[in-house]
Amino acid sequence: MRVPFVDLQSQYLSIAPEIDAAIKEVATSGHYLQNLQIKKFENAFAAKLGLDHCVGLSNGTDALLLILKALGIKAGDEVLTPAFSWISSASVISLLGAKPVLVDVDPDYFTIDLKKAEALISPRTKALIAVHLFGQTGDLPQIKNFGDEHNLFFIEDCAQAHFSQFDGVLAGTLGQASAFSFYPTKNLGAMGDAGCAVSKDEELATRIRRLANHGGLTKNEHLTLGYNSRMDEIQAAILRVKLQHIEAWNEQRVANAKLYRHALANIEEIQLPHLRPKAQHTYHQFVIKVKERDQLKQYLEESGIATDIHYPLAIPFEPAYAFLNARRDDFPVAYQLQHEVLSLPIVPEVSQEQILYVCKTIQDFYRK
Ligand SMILES: *Cc1c(COP(=O)(O)O)cnc(C)c1O
């Protein structure tokens, strides 16, 4: 049996008539940017989150960059962000000339460790980017309070947490602004790059919209310097179709996770993902921790099972951040995680039979 890690083709085929019609509608309309589709998607996405403002953008990284820029983050400022994540939440801070203050994470939940963050606050600290890694949020009210107490902007990186919740609060609705990615493999994915920023704050949303469109809302308006960072009409049309399926897909991920938990429960060498009390996980990734990670990964591969590592290097240990001279003792949890995490196939398209085969193969590995 073969088990792919993701299967975007099957996802497309399951809704092909809807997607084809959406693409054709855009193609025949002759409007490929800044028209009806983007407005409809922005409204639909904001409404599903219960927010008033969504700005469609070219990707999730730009969403983070433009949020920070719109909040006025600049050279000399410091921004707290987790040391163990995809690189974007740190790189955008650096690209604005500000300083990413990387904070070690919680070993069980993979989210920023607020106690360690507290110790790193300085008079220059202006903002905190929380990343809801792998589909599970941190304690949202606690993070928001932390931000309020220290007078920081609170930004949620929801690239891996579409419609995740904490205590009934949807990820992306508590921050000053939040970034979403619609990279093809995200829980809600476009057929190319796309992302968005959401906010309750109309003025902030307008600043982000201007920054994404050469500094203005209309073609020849340039009130500030800006970027070209818009979502295009075809991606917006595709995403609006897929938005109608996201609950079902997220539910399937949760069901897949249950199956893994049940079938792997008695392998003591494996640490299953911890569920944070009150959090509703959407399993962008199903990440186990194992000491003999590389051997297990290879064994699975030889058995036809694709897995992935999120992430093989924590941000402070990336070559791009070599100038930080980070030592493993500075980020003990992130350092350990980079050697122990293994992501198993969890996408909605993976069958029950395939998951049971993955679990049986893992059992075989430990009985060798
Ligand atoms: C994917 C991702 C991003 C970046 O999104 P892109 O659309 O690929 O630019 C940012 N943060 C996290 C946590 C991500 O997983």
Side-chain angles (χ1 to χ4, degrees), residues 91-314:
S91 65
V92 294
I93 301 166
S94 304
L95 290 169
L96 286 173
K99 180 179 169 193
V101 178
L102 299 172
V103 184
D104 210 1
V105 295
D106 181 287
D108 292 330
Y109 301 119
F110 311 111
T111 47
I112 194 163
D113 183 330
L114 288 180
K115 275 208 192 70
K116 292 181 181 168
E118 178 121 45
L120 293 166
I121 284 185
S122 86
R124 291 177 299 279
T125 314
K126 295 286 161 56
L128 161 74
I129 303 179
V131 182
H132 308 318
L133 203 66
F134 305 145
Q136 185 166 240
T137 71
D139 182 326
L140 289 177
Q142 192 186 21
I143 308 172
K144 182 168 179 358
N145 289 343
F146 177 92
D148 289 345
E149 259 167 47
H150 296 282
N151 206 15
L152 307 176
F153 295 122
F154 168 35
I155 298 135
E156 295 180 63
D157 179 342
C158 303
Q160 303 189 5
H162 308 78
F163 305 103
S164 302
Q165 295 185 27
F166 182 86
D167 204 11
V169 176
L170 279 162
T173 61
L174 273 194
Q176 253 83 27
S178 304
F180 284 85
S181 166
F182 305 118
Y183 180 80
T185 59
K186 300 289 158 90
N187 286 28
L188 179 62
M191 291 178 149
D193 277 313
C196 76
V198 299
S199 181
K200 290 191 195 81
D201 180 340
E202 179 167 11
E203 221 183 289
L204 180 61
T206 302
R207 284 205 296 276
I208 294 168
R209 197 180 287 287
R210 283 199 189 105
L211 284 170
N213 189 51
H214 308 287
L217 297 182
T218 53
K219 192 165 179 201
N220 288 314
E221 181 180 73
H222 309 289
L223 302 180
T224 62
L225 296 178
Y227 304 80
N228 176 355
S229 190
R230 302 168 302 230
M231 186 193 293
D232 65 67
E233 288 278 296
I234 285 196
Q235 299 309 336
I238 290 167
L239 285 168
R240 197 154 54 87
V241 168
K242 289 194 169 191
L243 190 58
Q244 294 163 355
H245 299 276
I246 185 64
E247 280 98 354
W249 287 333
N250 277 352
E251 277 166 25
Q252 190 58 52
R253 285 174 187 264
V254 171
N256 291 349
K258 274 209 183 104
L259 198 54
Y260 272 123
R261 284 183 187 285
H262 185 70
L264 296 174
N266 45 23
I267 307 181
E268 60 193 28
E269 290 91 341
I270 292 181
Q271 192 180 316
L272 293 168
H274 284 234
L275 285 174
R276 189 188 290 281
K278 296 192 202 167
Q280 213 177 73
H281 208 313
T282 52
Y283 291 102
H284 176 56
Q285 301 297 354
F286 187 87
V287 177
I288 60 170
K289 289 199 285 178
V290 282
K291 294 270 181 260
E292 44 295 297
R293 193 264 317 272
D294 294 339
Q295 295 94 305
L296 175 60
K297 186 177 195 327
Q298 194 184 339
Y299 186 80
L300 291 170
E301 204 164 301
E302 285 161 6
S303 312
I305 298 164
T307 59
D308 208 340
I309 296 172
H310 302 95
Y311 297 93
L313 277 181

Side-chain angles (χ1 to χ4, degrees), residues 39-50:
K39 282 201 192 78
K40 284 188 187 169
F41 172 72
E42 286 175 346
N43 290 339
F45 194 73
K48 236 185 171 61
L49 287 173

